[in-house]
Amino acid sequence: MKKVSNQYKKSAQKNMYTFNEKCYAALRKVPKGKVTTYKLLAKALKSRAFRAVGNAMKRNPYMPKVPCHRVVKSDGSLGGYAGGTAKKRALLKSEGISFRGDKIENLSQHLYKF
DNA sequence: CGGTTGACCAAGT
DNA sequence: GACTTGGCCAACC
């Protein structure tokens, strides 16, 4: 047993905003110099929608409020960014993140724990 | 209300 | 180590 269907979990529509809002809220807790992955972010939200998270970022209405550039893939690769991966890498590097090509070095070392 | 999409992930080739 | 396949979940049309 392992694939329980949590298709509902807590469908928004009552007091809960969209899944996106939660993503932004959690992401905002990430301090400078730290990063997180889509998977961990989704996990923090008690969901497995790491995809929906990324989707939310792309459609994020809170662009300047949320540090979308601090979210990377579980592999340590940059993933995507509205301004381009190159820009994302530059921002993270500027915050003290080490890079190896297009991937983060010692990802676990920079990962932020919720 | 059903089907497609996506800034993903894990395992397999 | 890089590419391919299947799966997962929420938002959007």
Side-chain angles (χ1 to χ4, degrees), chain A residues 92-111:
Chain A
L92 292 172
K93 191 173 177 185
S94 181
E95 294 188 351
I97 307 294
S98 308
F99 274 86
R100 188 186 76 167
D102 287 347
K103 296 187 175 65
I104 297 182
E105 281 273 39
N106 307 321
L107 178 62
S108 55
Q109 184 179 303
H110 297 294
L111 271 179

Side-chain angles (χ1 to χ4, degrees), chain A residues 21-62:
Chain A
E21 300 257 353
K22 291 186 128 197
C23 297
Y24 310 134
L27 184 53
R28 247 156 131 220
K29 299 192 323 187
V30 180
K32 185 159 104 182
K34 290 281 184 179
V35 295
T36 185
T37 66
Y38 295 97
K39 187 165 84 171
L40 290 177
L41 192 48
K43 190 187 251 181
L45 299 179
K46 305 291 192 299
S47 284
R48 303 179 185 173
F50 22 73
R51 285 181 153 208
V53 174
N55 219 339
M57 294 292 117
K58 183 168 154 199
R59 297 180 159 265
N60 82 53
Y62 302 91

Side-chain angles (χ1 to χ4, degrees), chain A residues 38 71-80 88 102-104 107:
Chain A
Y38 295 97
V71 189
V72 296
K73 298 213 286 186
S74 298
D75 303 22
S77 54
L78 291 167
K88 185 171 181 177
D102 287 347
K103 296 187 175 65
I104 297 182
L107 178 62

